[in-house]
Amino acid sequence: MKGAAALIVDDEADIRELVEITLSRMGLKTRSAASLQDARRLLSEQSFDFCITDMRLPDGNGISLVQHIQKHHPQTPVAVITAYGSSQAAVESLKAGAFDFVSKPVDLQSLRKLVDAALKLRGRDDRAASDDGGLLGEHDSVRQLRGMIDRLARSQAPVHIAGESGTGKELVARLIHSRGPRAGGPFVPVNCGAIPSELMESEFFGHLKGSFTGALKDKPGLFQAAEGGTLFLDEVADLPLHMQVKLLRALQERAVRPVGSEAEVPVNVRITSATHKNLAELVARGAFRQDLFYRLNVIEVRTPPLRERAQDIPLLADHILARLARDIALPGRPTLDAEARKALQGYPFPGNVRELENILERAITLCDGEQITALDLQLRQLPGSDAGPAGGALEDQMEDIERKAIQDALEKARFNKTKAAELLGMSFRSLRYRIKKLGIE
């Protein structure tokens, strides 16, 4: 941090001085400007590692400076100072490309954390561009997604990831986290549809001992668990309306109130969210709050369905088969024959990459150990190619069939797994893997 240069832009001398003193004590060299014109002049004279600007300036606003820096100095993170309670201005600044924002009156502890996070971005770009992070594929949509992830990692803006089930939304959220300044902090994923409605407030915000029956001790919530990192709200569309109100307040105030407490606890958390549902449609129907939608959906990212990038299926399949072979400890990795590859590329994959994994898990147990044929894939004829949610139901049905076949074989073999594997025409290792995978006792 020492030696880093910061530009402070504000027409109020006392705020400029406050920020300058704070940043100087952190070891930064500072320059200051009282207008957009002065700021642009300083930016043309030297490079800065960080910039903080007020929203309202005598010759324009902070957003135009953010846009100028995005265009001419994209490696410089910019924070915006907004008026207290001006959530709309904060969202607008983030949409324009601001790294983060801080509200007046400026909280010095929050400012220090913000500056520290911004300066951690230095030196991360080369690493981010050096690998795909597990997001495999050469289709244009995947290349664009990887580029978007790298850009979003340089911001603290809330990101909403839209896409069908099984398209890798959590992987995208993890990559945004791991390539940004919060990489050293926790990544806390939560399935909003899996928490009982009556426990949601306690789960998200924590509770104090004795605040309700069963509250035997103080318990931090998910926001506190994600302190300094990222909270990933998966299936955010499943949040009930009463919880949407409380979540909105937590995002606006950057603070949470544990159940049973009268005091709010400040939290330093980045929010990413995802759902396979159409949030805009839910807003139009009144099933999801519009104000929360705008707060979560500052930047939207779309994960492409597998059927739109069929050319990537062989690459993904080879990668998945290699991993499965390691998991089962096979002496060699089975490969797909030409007909199997063709069959996979022509299949609509309503369950997307997750369904591809399940199909290959099954095929690797049915094949001769060296080559997977189209017959081993056991692909099903589907009534339509765009029935996304049906993929999960289909996979559940296939697993039920497979589970019953294994249980029948085990009973016939009197639970001798070696004999059961022979009856099923698979190796002992494959059978053991499938028993564990399917949760068969």
Side-chain angles (χ1 to χ4, degrees), residues 9-256:
V9 186
D10 201 304
D11 62 334
E12 295 183 47
D14 55 343
I15 293 182
R16 283 202 310 272
E17 185 179 359
L18 175 67
V19 176
E20 192 170 347
I21 291 170
T22 303
L23 271 54
S24 296
R25 287 177 177 172
M26 294 175 70
L28 278 73
K29 298 175 182 176
T30 63
R31 298 287 299 276
S32 62
S35 67
L36 281 175
Q37 184 178 354
D38 288 348
R40 288 175 179 149
R41 177 180 55 79
L42 289 171
L43 284 163
S44 68
E45 293 175 356
Q46 73 172 91
S47 61
F48 290 94
D49 300 288
F50 174 72
C51 174
I52 184 166
T53 178
D54 192 18
M55 180 62 82
R56 301 179 69 176
L57 296 166
D59 53 348
N61 62 42
I63 289 180
S64 63
L65 182 59
V66 171
Q67 293 167 336
H68 174 83
I69 291 175
Q70 281 281 297
K71 182 177 180 180
H72 300 285
H73 313 278
Q75 301 306 308
T76 302
V78 192
V80 175
I81 303 172
T82 63
Y84 176 75
S86 180
S87 59
Q88 184 178 353
V91 169
E92 285 178 5
S93 67
L94 293 171
K95 280 184 179 290
F99 170 77
D100 206 345
F101 68 92
V102 60
S103 298
K104 293 180 180 178
V106 177
D107 179 78
L108 295 185
Q109 185 177 0
S110 297
L111 177 62
R112 292 188 196 99
K113 288 180 179 179
L114 187 155
V115 174
D116 185 53
L119 294 178
K120 284 179 181 176
L121 289 171
R122 294 185 300 174
R124 283 192 175 272
D125 296 319
D126 293 339
R127 192 200 71 172
S130 65
D131 69 280
D132 54 40
L135 186 63
L136 301 177
E138 296 303 323
H139 190 268
D140 284 347
S141 62
V142 180
R143 290 176 180 271
Q144 291 168 9
L145 180 56
R146 283 198 288 262
M148 176 68 82
I149 287 169
D150 288 340
R151 290 194 296 275
L152 294 178
R154 296 186 56 81
S155 166
Q156 297 297 285
V159 175
H160 180 67
I161 306 164
E164 296 177 9
S165 294
T167 51
K169 295 188 290 295
E170 183 171 337
L171 172 61
V172 169
R174 286 183 180 276
L175 286 173
I176 292 171
H177 168 79
S178 66
R179 294 185 171 183
R182 294 177 178 270
F187 177 87
V188 180
V190 52
N191 187 328
C192 296
I195 304 174
S197 178
E198 65 275 11
L199 296 179
M200 274 193 173
E201 190 174 354
S202 170
E203 286 295 312
F204 275 97
F205 309 138
H207 63 251
L208 300 185
K209 178 181 178 180
S211 55
F212 56 86
T213 304
L216 303 178
K217 59 180 180 179
D218 291 357
K219 178 190 173 186
L222 293 165
F223 271 85
Q224 293 97 317
E227 177 67 22
T230 301
L231 180 59
F232 174 54
L233 305 175
D234 198 9
E235 298 305 343
V236 71
D238 292 339
L239 282 173
L241 287 169
H242 79 274
M243 193 61 203
Q244 292 177 29
V245 177
K246 295 180 183 297
L247 178 61
L248 176 64
R249 176 173 173 77
L251 298 182
Q252 289 177 336
E253 301 299 326
R254 297 190 172 188
V256 298

